[in-house]
Amino acid sequence: MGHLTDLQCSMYVDGALTSEQYNTLGDHLAGCTACQARLSVFKEDQGIIAIAMTNQTEVVPHMAPPKFKKPVGLREFAVANLLTGLLFWFAQFSSKAIFGELVVDGFSWLTSIFVPDVYDLALTTLLYFTNEGTVMIEAYSGFIVAAILAVAATWLLLYVVKSKQAFSFCLLTAVLGSGLALPQEASAIEHRRDHVTISSDETIDDTLLFTGETILVDGIVTGDLIAFGRRVVVTGTVNGNLIAFAESISISGEVSGTTINAGKTVEITDAILGGDFWGAGESVQISRESRITGNAVLGANRVSMQGEVGKDLTTGAETIELRGKVGEDMVAFGKSIKLLGDAGIVGDLTIHSVGEDSLSRSAESTVGGSIQFELHDLDGRSKNPYATFQFYGFQVLKLAAAFIIGYGLFMLFPAVRSATLNSGVTGFITAGVGLVALVSVPVILVLVAITVVGLPLTFFGFALWLLGLYLAKIIVAWLIGSMLFSDPDGERGVALPLISGLAIVTVAINIPFIGGVVSFVMTIVGIGMLVQWLITNYSRDAAIVR
Amino acid sequence: MASSVVAFEILYKEYYVRVFGLCRRLLNSAMLAEDATQETFMRAFRSFSKFDGNQPFWHWIASIANHYCIDLLRQRTRMQNLFGNEQEEMEQIESPGPHALTTVIDSEDNKTLNAALADMPDKYRLPLVLAYFSEFSYDQIAVELGVSRNHVGVLLLRAKQHLRSRLVATPAGEV
């Protein structure tokens, strides 16, 4: 054979040749001084590099040992999550039981005995606050604001100039400031305790805000009229909007703007309302001669509508009686809807109710458009899903399907078993990656779809994305299961950890109130694990064994 | 739990200078090496239960450091094929016979050699550090870098040649 190559020399001194190669080269070396010389050069180099390599020319910085802590295992993580979930569920359940049922029921029973009228109570409170409370609040809020400002200024000055003079100065300013800030009574709002009357020969060229026991407006108000009282009667004209809150509201004048009324009884008698009308109360009555130019929205126990509505009429009431005309469509939510006399609806009538028998109509009534029924369960109590057998049957079915798919997945691709959720920050990163994948993939796919050429790719991508969403929870289930059995790579079989994990996940995502959040978190964590697993396994040189 | 922490802190004090040296050589940066050292020990602690007492601790911790640093370099260079093509490297092997490093740096301190090491491209420095610092075999290096065994030999030869040419081209004192 010929002389040794550089590669052979290099590997020779590194001890990286096979015994066969050593024998062959040895035979040559024995009789070739040139090769012996070259080899000795390589040997010297090797020694020098090895020494130089470990020789530190710079000072090694002193490094305190890091805080060695065992990461929280996923078993603890899962158990803690489950416990938190159960705790939440228990807290919510008991709060609902205590407050939702006991307190509210008890309170309503109590009020039915002691409090003659809820409206009365609300009004008394409101009147007290509007008459006395505003002054009180203004006085105190002025003081509070001044105090906060003074403290802030003091802090700032002390921070900037750390001297005693500055402190004294601040103190003085604060005292003076709080004295000055004490308010004078606001003059824009007129407070009158008992009775407010705007007589028919009076014209108010401004917006009026009234609070009082009885409010009578017979004159003309050019701006808005806002009235809170026990009894509000408007017989005059309001050019702006009319907002009234009272035990009884009676309007028989003319309002140009929007009318918003809330009270125990709302009566619109021979009135002309130029804009929309919003009325709420125990009973809302609109007399035959009244006219509402815009839309009417009425919510009450009992609605009696005899007048005319220019546009749509939307009502929600136990009993709805319509004798008048509706210019456009009517939507009614209620148990009993009656079209009486010559009631007329130009457009469609949509009824949201328990059954079609809730509508009764006279022979003379007319509906220009169609009549549609939207049937609802108006009992107000939605069915408890946990109380039905179908729910559990469906869950078991879903569990079985997920198990079969998961089992197939881990059998076909054993490497997926190694997808792991690292602890701490990395776990959050995994969830973040999952969230990004969850959100960005559809966006990207839509963008691809726009190019038309990419349409098949988009369908394919969406299918993959949906598959990923489904697999995400299976992978999390596997992770939880394998951690519970302390068998991260599924060496002792896949079935048992998988079914246990799936059972835990199924229970967790069905926990009332927080199940949705759990499901969402599990999905993003699972997708994150899947994405990270794909990245680590298919982007690197396959030869690197991890 | 507490006793394992104490035991590990002893190991840390024993080995951190050496691990730091390895990371320093691999990453070519003292600052990165400091972080890498800490991270290496954190990882080692987390998987300490997997440590096989039959092999030297140094080999185990060195392979963790290698993994970490090579990953870091891959991320930094964003280059999957860090170590080039075996055939291309083979063709680059310089034909002239070697000059012994001894003749060049005989009277010099290690500074010149250190500078030359620092200047070396990652693809040559990494196998050289693994072979002469971590004391890994060709096979171990091949697994670590994800290249063939022969490729490792070529890379190491190129590394040695690179050192020589660098030192011959830059006589002592000019570094």
Side-chain angles (χ1 to χ4, degrees):
Chain A
M1 68 165 285
H3 292 302
L4 269 68
T5 62
D6 282 354
L7 187 59
Q8 282 170 327
C9 290
S10 175
M11 289 176 83
Y12 192 103
V13 299
D14 286 341
L17 295 175
T18 61
S19 55
E20 201 178 314
Q21 286 169 320
Y22 272 114
N23 288 337
T24 320
L25 294 184
D27 291 344
H28 172 79
L29 276 169
C32 178
T33 47
C35 280
Q36 282 173 16
R38 286 177 62 217
L39 205 58
S40 65
V41 169
F42 269 96
K43 269 184 190 150
E44 278 174 43
D45 284 1
Q46 186 195 32
I48 288 168
I49 294 169
I51 293 165
M53 194 66 82
T54 46
N55 245 341
Q56 294 289 338
T57 47
E58 49 199 288
V59 186
V60 179
H62 177 75
M63 286 182 277
K67 293 257 176 291
F68 293 122
K69 270 189 291 185
K70 278 263 186 278
V72 178
L74 205 92
R75 199 185 331 186
E76 288 88 344
F77 180 74
V79 169
N81 269 329
L82 270 176
L83 282 179
T84 318
L86 283 173
L87 203 71
F88 258 93
W89 175 78
F90 182 71
Q92 283 180 322
F93 174 79
S94 36
S95 73
K96 194 172 181 303
I98 292 170
F99 292 104
E101 313 288 332
L102 257 153
V103 172
V104 171
D105 285 359
F107 191 71
S108 57
W109 172 75
L110 214 66
T111 49
S112 69
I113 294 173
F114 290 108
V115 185
D117 199 329
V118 176
Y119 285 94
D120 194 55
L121 188 75
L123 273 169
T124 312
T125 314
L126 190 84
L127 285 176
Y128 175 78
F129 271 112
T130 47
N131 289 336
E132 310 289 336
T134 46
V135 181
M136 190 177 77
I137 289 169
E138 276 160 15
Y140 280 103
S141 66
F143 183 74
I144 290 164
V145 168
I148 290 172
L149 284 177
V151 169
T154 313
W155 177 81
L156 203 72
L157 252 165
L158 282 177
Y159 188 76
V160 177
V161 197
K162 287 175 183 162
S163 69
K164 283 201 167 172
Q165 285 89 337
F167 182 68
S168 313
F169 174 74
C170 282
L171 212 62
L172 191 70
T173 320
V175 171
L176 283 176
S178 59
L180 286 174
L182 286 174
Q184 298 78 38
E185 186 153 335
S187 52
I189 303 173
E190 194 172 339
H191 300 285
R192 282 195 223 167
R193 243 189 123 76
D194 299 326
H195 302 281
V196 183
T197 309
I198 306 288
S199 61
S200 58
D201 51 0
E202 254 184 287
T203 301
I204 311 287
D205 281 324
D206 204 353
T207 291
L208 270 184
L209 193 149
F210 284 137
T211 60
E213 192 78 8
T214 310
I215 297 161
L216 294 167
V217 179
D218 200 15
I220 299 168
V221 178
T222 55
D224 296 341
L225 173 64
I226 302 162
F228 298 104
R230 196 169 296 277
R231 207 160 74 84
V232 174
V233 180
V234 179
T235 48
T237 305
V238 178
N239 287 339
N241 304 313
L242 167 63
I243 297 166
F245 180 78
E247 197 173 319
S248 97
I249 299 168
S250 165
I251 294 167
S252 52
E254 204 174 305
V255 181
S256 305
T258 302
T259 308
I260 299 171
N261 290 165
K264 189 175 178 184
T265 57
V266 177
E267 283 177 39
I268 311 291
T269 318
D270 305 345
I272 296 173
L273 308 181
D276 293 346
F277 173 60
W278 295 72
E282 229 166 80
S283 106
V284 175
Q285 291 188 28
I286 297 163
S287 75
R288 187 145 195 98
E289 288 76 25
S290 300
R291 192 185 143 71
I292 299 160
T293 314
N295 302 300
V297 181
L298 311 173
N301 243 345
R302 196 171 153 275
V303 168
S304 168
M305 167 73 200
Q306 303 185 7
E308 198 178 315
V309 177
K311 292 179 182 167
D312 293 342
L313 170 65
T314 308
T315 55
E318 189 110 355
T319 316
I320 300 164
E321 288 178 8
L322 179 74
R323 277 178 200 273
K325 305 273 182 247
V326 178
E328 289 174 14
D329 299 339
M330 174 171 171
V331 180
F333 296 80
K335 274 187 181 165
S336 155
I337 295 108
K338 294 173 185 163
L339 304 188
L340 304 168
D342 60 344
I345 300 164
V346 175
D348 298 337
L349 169 63
T350 310
I351 294 172
H352 295 260
S353 190
V354 278
E356 299 199 1
D357 56 349
S358 55
L359 173 69
S360 63
R361 48 185 299 199
S362 66
E364 294 84 40
S365 64
T366 54
V367 176
S370 60
I371 302 178
Q372 287 154 12
F373 283 94
E374 304 264 334
L375 301 182
H376 303 276
D377 187 1
L378 285 186
D379 279 348
R381 285 175 197 274
S382 58
K383 289 225 161 55
N384 180 1
Y386 304 104
T388 61
F389 175 75
Q390 285 93 327
F391 172 76
Y392 294 101
F394 189 55
Q395 294 303 323
V396 169
L397 208 69
K398 265 168 55 174
L399 191 93
F403 175 72
I404 292 165
I405 289 168
Y407 194 79
L409 175 78
F410 293 124
M411 280 298 153
L412 288 174
F413 305 98
V416 184
R417 295 179 207 170
S418 65
T420 53
L421 170 73
N422 293 315
S423 63
V425 179
T426 329
F428 280 109
I429 293 170
T430 306
V433 168
L435 187 63
V436 169
L438 189 74
V439 176
S440 65
V441 168
V443 174
I444 293 168
L445 288 176
V446 166
L447 289 180
V448 171
I450 291 170
T451 61
V452 182
V453 189
L455 212 56
L457 191 70
T458 303
F459 283 123
F460 183 65
F462 259 117
L464 272 184
W465 183 71
L466 288 174
L467 184 72
L469 284 191
Y470 187 73
L471 291 183
K473 268 181 265 181
I474 295 182
I475 286 177
V476 172
W478 161 253
L479 190 70
I480 293 171
S482 64
M483 287 293 166
L484 278 177
F485 285 86
S486 308
D487 182 17
D489 295 319
E491 281 151 10
R492 293 198 299 272
V494 173
L496 200 58
L498 183 63
I499 194 80
S500 317
L502 281 171
I504 291 173
V505 167
T506 306
V507 170
I509 62 178
N510 280 301
I511 291 174
F513 309 109
I514 61 160
V517 179
V518 173
S519 172
F520 176 71
V521 170
M522 282 187 176
T523 305
I524 61 170
V525 168
I527 287 189
M529 280 165 62
L530 207 59
V531 170
Q532 285 190 329
W533 178 80
L534 286 172
I535 288 172
T536 39
N537 280 273
Y538 289 103
S539 69
R540 279 192 194 160
D541 235 336
I544 299 182
V545 180
R546 299 274 136 187
Chain B
M1 179 75 198
S3 65
S4 78
V5 170
V6 172
F8 208 79
E9 278 178 1
I10 293 168
L11 281 171
Y12 174 84
K13 279 175 192 142
E14 188 77 21
Y15 281 95
Y16 91 85
V17 172
R18 211 165 157 201
V19 172
F20 173 79
L22 174 60
C23 295
R24 165 87 184 77
R25 286 279 178 235
L26 286 170
L27 297 172
N28 232 349
S29 150
M31 209 177 68
L32 287 177
E34 251 182 79
D35 292 343
T37 307
Q38 302 262 327
E39 181 61 29
T40 299
F41 276 98
M42 288 301 291
R43 287 182 177 199
F45 180 76
R46 266 183 243 142
S47 52
F48 197 42
S49 56
K50 290 181 193 155
F51 171 58
D52 166 19
N54 293 325
Q55 63 163 323
F57 182 74
W58 166 248
H59 267 192
W60 186 65
I61 192 112
S63 77
I64 294 174
N66 290 335
H67 272 323
Y68 180 72
C69 293
I70 291 168
D71 271 359
L72 211 64
L73 287 174
R74 278 188 213 272
Q75 282 168 19
R76 207 173 57 180
T77 51
R78 296 192 178 283
M79 199 169 69
Q80 295 305 318
N81 193 5
L82 195 59
F83 302 102
N85 181 291
E86 183 185 337
Q87 202 55 43
E88 281 170 23
E89 290 295 334
M90 196 76 163
E91 283 157 13
Q92 284 174 17
I93 293 176
E94 289 143 29
S95 41
H99 314 269
L101 284 176
T102 34
T103 59
V104 186
I105 54 162
D106 229 359
S107 55
E108 277 298 312
D109 57 6
N110 277 311
K111 265 189 187 159
T112 326
L113 195 57
N114 271 328
L117 276 173
D119 264 2
M120 201 179 275
D122 288 346
K123 62 175 174 178
Y124 300 144
R125 198 182 66 252
L126 292 184
L128 199 67
V129 173
L130 293 186
Y132 289 92
F133 198 113
S134 304
E135 295 166 359
F136 274 28
S137 73
Y138 274 39
D139 287 319
Q140 285 170 313
I141 298 171
V143 169
E144 201 69 55
L145 302 184
V147 297
S148 73
R149 190 178 188 282
N150 218 41
H151 197 166
V152 173
V154 176
L155 287 171
L156 279 173
L157 174 62
R158 290 281 297 133
K160 291 173 190 173
Q161 286 179 339
H162 194 274
L163 266 187
R164 279 190 205 112
S165 64
R166 179 76 174 73
L167 293 171
V168 173
T170 330
E174 282 181 27
V175 178

